[in-house]
Amino acid sequence: MRGFILTPTYRVVRGLPEVHLYGVLESGEPCLVIDDRTRPHFFVRQRDVARLHTVASSLRVEDSAFRSLSGEPVATVYVTVPADVPPLRRKLEEQGIACLEADLRFAYRYLIDRGIRGAFELDGAGETRPRLGRVYRNPNLRPARWVPRLKVLSIDI
């Protein structure tokens, strides 16, 4: 089934973040995709990893296949909730540790990591809920090519 994201956001439920993607399905029905399987993260240069623990001792850091724009290997720094990123970023940058992509909002990071730019295709069971339409929890989600016929335009200034 294909759909199109209208609003990406997140909520913290029982201490863990859930990505909430509000959208419209190809059938015209509204939908909400909820995914609680990912954690907020950003990147640091691999050469800075040893210094991370002097700033924050309990960080989860993993090697990454990605590289910085200058070609340096990077590591992924995971935090518990999105609100943990800005203060950690400030602490690290005060110590001269560059935080790469730490300015990206959590829901947008989720979409970028999956290559989704608007349209998506999903596999998974959903349930119909009043005022929300079809709700899918942790479906298989991947990018798709599809443009919905929208009827309302909202401008947020």
Side-chain angles (χ1 to χ4, degrees):
M1 178 170 311
R2 290 188 302 185
F4 193 86
I5 297 165
L6 302 172
T7 304
T9 189
Y10 75 92
R11 291 188 180 163
V12 175
V13 177
R14 291 183 286 286
L16 295 175
E18 295 180 341
V19 172
H20 285 217
L21 306 175
Y22 293 89
V24 62
L25 296 174
E26 198 167 22
S27 64
E29 190 176 13
C31 71
L32 169 60
V33 174
I34 301 170
D35 195 328
D36 63 4
R37 299 171 293 186
T38 191
R39 295 295 166 259
H41 61 277
F42 59 91
F43 305 97
V44 296
R45 294 175 302 216
Q46 188 69 46
R47 64 182 159 108
D48 291 331
V49 168
R51 295 177 45 217
L52 287 178
H53 299 293
T54 62
V55 177
S57 60
S58 63
L59 287 178
R60 183 175 138 218
V61 181
E62 295 180 4
D63 289 340
S64 171
F66 296 121
R67 294 187 171 273
S68 70
L69 290 176
S70 62
E72 291 181 80
V74 298
T76 308
V77 178
Y78 291 92
V79 297
T80 306
V81 294
D84 293 343
V85 173
L88 177 58
R89 176 184 176 189
R90 277 190 296 279
K91 281 184 183 179
L92 294 175
E93 288 179 343
E94 286 171 1
Q95 298 301 313
I97 299 171
C99 298
L100 310 174
E101 299 187 5
D103 58 334
L104 293 175
R105 293 180 181 176
F106 178 57
Y108 290 96
R109 167 92 265 158
Y110 175 91
L111 296 172
I112 290 166
D113 289 346
R114 285 153 185 79
I116 298 172
R117 293 190 175 105
F120 62 87
E121 192 170 315
L122 65 80
D123 292 319
E127 62 178 295
T128 301
R129 290 194 192 160
R131 297 180 9 187
L132 288 177
R134 298 289 296 168
V135 177
Y136 299 88
R137 182 167 282 280
N138 296 329
N140 293 321
L141 203 62
R142 61 193 164 278
R145 288 186 171 266
W146 176 62
V147 178
R149 290 183 49 93
L150 302 174
K151 298 174 188 169
V152 177
L153 172 65
S154 173
I155 299 175
D156 184 5
I157 298 177

